[in-house]
């Protein structure tokens, strides 16, 4: 099987490629990325032990010409490339639209013109639901994104779903991703709290802290995506393992770093919540604590 | 039925017969014909008429890359329903090279240029190959179209043929009703005229939702590609 991954050098791409390259059904992986993020840790480390051939193409999601030529002969396309959400900032709304909406439109059109592609997988976000208003959402819940990021991801979903009568399409709505890998993002709240607690001795909480978030561990997300390839399915799925309020998260981090100071900013603000129905068999209460402990072991220094 | 009070079967047949004899005349003289369509609700009667008269006529859709996904799905639905001979045109300029000096797409700052590179550039090579370009413009749509003729010269030695020029929105509605033709999926949300998503607003007032607020009511296909 020949797999094409957009945005494959990013945080999710790092774990996905590492896992995929060790799957015996994968012949080759083409990573298409414009290297817009400053981190290039994807390219360094121990030599890859996987069997699959890895190829890298530096290219932009908006470059339909280049994507079209690069896509030829691939069986599966995994679309990870995105302008990701930046908490408390909507400063460049057009960029979300440009990349997540129109970039996905470009990719969809090129996939449509590439007969070898049998399965298109899109990593969307639970942010398309907007506010869960105290309930746990499922894939049948109404979508009402509250942010420019969420709106752009929902528009991206429409471009992908348009192809559903031609090939298998999977829309995977991911929760907030956390956990260590060398391409880690620190704008994810769990990662930020852990980094700040370990190195700065303080974390910042915006709003009341009662807002809930759904979370998924980076390694689990990579495995879910691979499972989607293996079962060759179609449809919309939520990928989430844990629901925690920000205050719950503070308690978890405090348990690991008891001396951490908590700075509460804009406490008058009630922030929106996104909680998602979770298969309880797949996530246990202690599991989240165990994953944070494992995360902590990756810090080179404990200051 | 209500349409019978306004537009009889005879009237429709008469309109279709005129189009049929025009097409036969073009074809008898060896002219190469094509139709372009934006696959809006009001585009569908012309496509329906053409598929009855000349089923294999090439139907060109200019995929600007900025269409609503609903438009692309509707296009595919109509192509399947009418068994159209669809050809899709795209800009020779990738979207990554369609940004202004601030890094934004041109529809944010220069919609004329955006239309030029996404609509006119893709169509021009076709005009150089073909002889007669059929479009569904109507004189009741705006001032520019009011000045058009049923047959008039286009650029690159083409003829522009406007068979729907004297139809109005009511006739379009009645024809759709008569043949039970499906509406564009966004029509019920107020998108009576649907172009590219960034430059189209919901408006129940025909074309006023296009480039709303700008001094612009044409994309250029029916201005720049008319022989002056």
């Amino acid at each position: 099987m020949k797999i094409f991954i957009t945005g494959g050098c990013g945080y999710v791409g790092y774990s996905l490629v590492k896992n995929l390259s060790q799957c015996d059904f994968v012949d080759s992986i083409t990573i298409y990325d414009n290297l817009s993020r400053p981190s290039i840790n994807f390219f360094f480390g121990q030599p890859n032990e996987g069997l699959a051939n890895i190829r890298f193409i530096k290219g932009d999601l908006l470059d339909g010409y280049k994507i079209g030529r690069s896509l030829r002969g691939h069986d599966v396309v995994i679309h990870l490339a995105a302008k990701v959400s930046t908490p408390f900032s909507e400063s460049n709304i057009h960029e979300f639209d440009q990349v997540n909406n129109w970039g996905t439109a470009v990719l969809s059109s090129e996939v449509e013109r590439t007969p070898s592609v049998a399965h298109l997988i899109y990593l969307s976000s639970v942010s398309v639901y907007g506010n869960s208003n105290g309930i746990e959402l499922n894939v049948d819940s109404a979508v009402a994104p509250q942010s420019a990021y969420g709106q752009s991801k929902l528009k991206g979903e429409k471009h992908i779903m348009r192809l559903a009568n031609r090939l298998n399409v999977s829309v995977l709505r991911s929760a907030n991703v956390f956990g260590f890998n060398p391409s880690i993002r620190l704008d994810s709240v769990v990662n930020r709290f852990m980094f700040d607690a370990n190195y700065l001795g303080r974390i910042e909480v915006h709003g009341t802290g009662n807002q809930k978030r759904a979370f998924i561990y980076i390694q689990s997300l990579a495995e879910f995506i691979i499972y989607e390839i293996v079962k060759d399915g179609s449809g919309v799925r939520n990928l989430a393992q844990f629901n925690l309020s920000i205050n719950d998260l503070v308690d978890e981090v405090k348990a690991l770093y008891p001396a951490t100071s908590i700075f509460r900013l804009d406490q008058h603000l009630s922030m929106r919540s996104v909680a998602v129905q979770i298969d309880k068999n797949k996530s246990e209460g202690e599991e989240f604590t165990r994953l944070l402990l494992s995360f902590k072991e990756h810090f080179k220094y404990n200051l | 039925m209500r349409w019978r009070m306004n537009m009889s079967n005879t009237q429709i047949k008469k309109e279709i017969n005129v189009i049929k004899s025009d097409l036969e005349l073009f074809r008898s003289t060896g002219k190469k014909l094509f139709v372009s369509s934006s696959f809006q609700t009001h585009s569908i009667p012309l496509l329906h008429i053409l598929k009855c008269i000349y089923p294999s006529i090439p139907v060109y859709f200019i995929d600007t890359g900025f269409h609503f996904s609903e438009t692309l799905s509707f296009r595919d639905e109509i192509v399947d329903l009418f068994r159209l001979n669809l050809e899709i045109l795209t800009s020779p300029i990738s979207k990554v090279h369609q940004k202004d000096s601030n890094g934004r797409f041109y529809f944010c700052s220069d919609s004329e240029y955006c239309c030029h590179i996404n609509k006119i550039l893709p169509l021009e090579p076709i005009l150089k190959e073909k002889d007669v370009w059929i479009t569904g413009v109507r004189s009741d749509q705006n001032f520019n179209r009011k000045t058009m003729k049923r047959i008039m010269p286009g650029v690159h030695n083409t003829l522009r043929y406007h068979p729907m020029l004297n139809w109005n929105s009511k006739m379009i509605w009645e024809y759709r009703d008569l043949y039970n033709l499906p509406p564009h999926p966004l029509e019920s949300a107020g998108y009576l005229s649907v172009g590219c998503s960034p430059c189209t607003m919901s408006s129940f007032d025909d074309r006023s939702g296009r480039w709303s607020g700008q001094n612009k009511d044409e994309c250029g296909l029916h201005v720049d590609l008319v022989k002056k």
Side-chain angles (χ1 to χ4, degrees):
Chain A
M1 183 180 286
K2 293 179 178 174
I3 297 178
F4 184 93
I5 306 176
T6 70
C9 295
Y11 180 36
V12 177
Y14 185 96
S15 292
L16 179 61
V17 172
K18 187 175 179 187
N19 283 268
L20 262 181
S21 67
Q22 291 163 16
C23 294
D24 56 8
F25 62 87
V26 178
D27 299 311
S28 71
I29 303 169
T30 302
I31 297 145
Y32 186 93
D33 197 304
N34 66 355
L35 300 181
S36 62
R37 292 183 62 222
S39 167
I40 53 167
N41 290 339
F42 178 86
F43 298 96
F44 297 96
Q46 296 294 317
N48 185 49
E49 293 173 355
L51 299 172
N53 289 316
I54 310 283
R55 189 164 74 116
F56 173 73
I57 298 172
K58 185 171 189 279
D60 199 288
L61 186 59
L62 294 171
D63 191 344
Y65 173 71
K66 196 166 195 175
I67 289 180
R69 286 193 307 163
S70 307
L71 267 179
R72 289 176 199 156
H74 288 86
D75 308 296
V76 175
V77 174
I78 304 170
H79 179 27
L80 305 179
K83 163 73 178 166
V84 295
S85 177
T86 309
F88 316 113
S89 171
E90 297 272 63
S91 58
N92 195 351
I93 287 173
H94 181 68
E95 203 174 336
F96 290 120
D97 191 47
Q98 201 171 62
V99 178
N100 301 344
N101 177 17
W102 298 119
T104 304
V106 169
L107 179 70
S108 300
S109 293
E110 296 306 327
V111 166
E112 195 175 16
R113 284 191 266 272
T114 309
S116 64
V117 178
H119 195 176
L120 172 58
I121 297 171
Y122 176 48
L123 191 65
S124 184
S125 163
V126 294
S127 68
V128 299
Y129 294 112
N131 194 334
S132 54
N133 293 318
I135 61 163
E136 292 187 349
L137 301 157
N138 61 42
V139 288
D140 297 322
S141 302
V143 287
Q146 305 287 306
S147 64
Y149 171 73
Q151 288 175 21
S152 66
K153 292 300 279 186
L154 183 60
K155 286 179 178 173
E157 287 189 6
K158 285 186 170 184
H159 295 300
I160 298 289
M161 292 305 291
R162 182 177 68 78
L163 305 183
N165 59 357
R166 296 167 187 241
L167 64 155
N168 287 347
V169 294
S170 303
V171 170
L172 307 179
R173 293 175 177 160
S174 174
N176 268 265
V177 188
F178 73 97
F180 173 80
N181 75 26
S183 291
I184 189 170
R185 274 177 46 204
L186 287 185
D187 49 0
S188 162
V189 64
V190 177
N191 297 352
R192 178 91 254 169
F193 277 14
M194 288 295 288
F195 182 89
D196 287 355
N198 190 76
Y199 286 118
L200 308 180
R202 51 168 285 173
I203 55 180
E204 290 183 2
V205 175
H206 290 258
T208 63
N210 294 325
Q211 63 270 28
K212 281 196 162 186
R213 291 287 182 275
F215 296 100
I216 187 166
Y217 184 54
I218 182 71
Q219 172 67 15
S220 305
L221 176 57
E223 289 168 5
F224 280 130
I225 295 172
I226 293 171
Y227 178 66
E228 194 69 17
I229 300 171
V230 173
K231 74 183 178 70
D232 201 18
S234 274
V236 181
R237 261 169 277 290
N238 292 330
L239 302 185
Q241 293 173 295
F242 311 98
N243 289 310
L244 284 88
S245 72
I246 297 301
N247 287 332
D248 294 336
L249 180 58
V250 167
D251 292 343
E252 292 277 354
V253 175
K254 278 282 276 186
L256 294 177
Y257 297 95
T260 302
S261 295
I262 313 301
F263 284 73
R264 294 191 173 274
L265 312 179
D266 305 318
Q267 291 186 58
H268 60 287
L269 288 181
S270 182
M271 317 292 275
R272 60 178 175 266
S273 284
V274 180
V276 174
Q277 281 180 11
I278 287 164
D279 182 349
K280 298 296 180 194
N281 294 326
K282 290 182 183 166
S283 61
E284 296 167 9
E286 303 89 45
E287 179 69 0
F288 188 79
T289 308
R290 188 186 69 76
L291 291 171
L292 286 194
L293 266 171
S294 159
F295 189 151
K296 188 181 177 188
E297 288 167 8
H298 287 284
F299 287 123
K300 192 167 184 176
Y301 308 103
N302 286 299
L303 305 182
Chain B
M1 291 172 70
R2 191 152 57 94
W3 63 269
R4 291 184 197 282
M5 294 163 59
N6 304 302
M7 190 179 183
S8 67
N9 259 324
T10 313
Q11 275 178 289
I12 288 181
K13 278 181 185 162
K14 189 178 162 193
E15 290 284 341
I16 293 172
N17 282 336
V18 172
I19 297 171
K20 192 174 178 184
S21 67
D22 286 342
L23 293 187
E24 282 171 358
L25 183 64
F26 289 137
R27 296 178 75 189
S28 69
T29 53
K31 295 201 183 314
K32 289 181 276 187
L33 280 60
F34 78 100
V35 60
S36 65
S37 181
S38 53
F39 287 87
Q40 307 181 48
T41 294
H42 58 73
S43 313
I44 305 310
L46 174 61
L47 293 176
H48 186 258
I49 291 167
L50 290 175
K51 75 110 182 173
C52 296
I53 299 172
Y54 184 4
S56 64
I57 187 169
V59 178
Y60 284 86
F61 173 75
I62 304 172
D63 187 350
T64 61
F66 292 127
H67 287 292
F68 290 93
S69 56
E70 288 87 348
T71 299
L72 303 183
S73 298
F74 184 56
R75 175 199 69 193
D76 293 343
E77 179 190 342
I78 295 297
V79 167
D80 286 346
L81 188 66
F82 294 176
R83 296 171 185 268
L84 297 175
N85 176 17
L86 180 73
E87 300 279 351
I88 297 173
L89 302 173
T90 57
S91 175
I93 303 171
S94 285
K95 290 287 173 284
V96 72
H97 300 302
Q98 294 193 14
K99 297 179 190 175
D100 65 14
S101 55
N102 292 315
R104 300 181 303 174
F105 283 137
Y106 283 112
F107 61 69
C108 298
S109 55
D110 190 346
S111 52
E112 290 288 353
Y113 185 63
C114 190
C115 288
H116 177 76
I117 58 181
N118 286 302
K119 299 189 95 172
I120 292 178
L121 286 190
L123 189 66
E124 278 200 307
I126 308 305
L127 296 175
K128 290 173 183 169
E129 284 175 22
K130 306 282 188 185
D131 302 306
V132 179
W133 173 19
I134 305 170
T135 84
V137 295
R138 304 195 322 263
S139 60
D140 69 338
Q141 289 174 316
N142 62 29
F143 179 76
N144 174 57
R145 297 179 185 196
K146 209 182 285 294
T147 65
M148 289 181 145
K149 306 243 179 332
R150 188 177 174 86
I151 299 175
M152 60 192 293
V155 298
H156 304 302
N157 293 319
T158 51
L159 278 181
R160 296 179 59 112
Y161 177 45
H162 306 140
M164 313 300 280
L165 197 65
N166 296 324
W167 289 47
N168 57 38
S169 55
K170 196 173 180 187
M171 292 162 75
I172 294 286
W173 189 90
E174 287 165 357
Y175 187 94
R176 285 172 50 208
D177 192 46
L178 178 62
Y179 289 100
N180 196 25
L181 301 178
H184 187 290
L186 292 176
E187 186 189 56
S188 59
Y191 291 87
L192 298 191
S193 176
V194 185
C196 292
S197 158
C199 294
T200 302
M201 285 175 64
S202 168
S203 166
F204 286 96
D205 182 20
D206 209 359
R207 280 178 67 86
S208 65
R210 306 288 294 278
W211 304 285
S212 181
Q214 298 183 35
N215 294 322
K216 175 176 168 67
D217 62 0
E218 287 283 11
C219 64
L221 290 177
H222 308 304
V223 179
D224 297 350
L225 299 180
V226 174
K227 192 165 185 181
K228 305 282 190 314

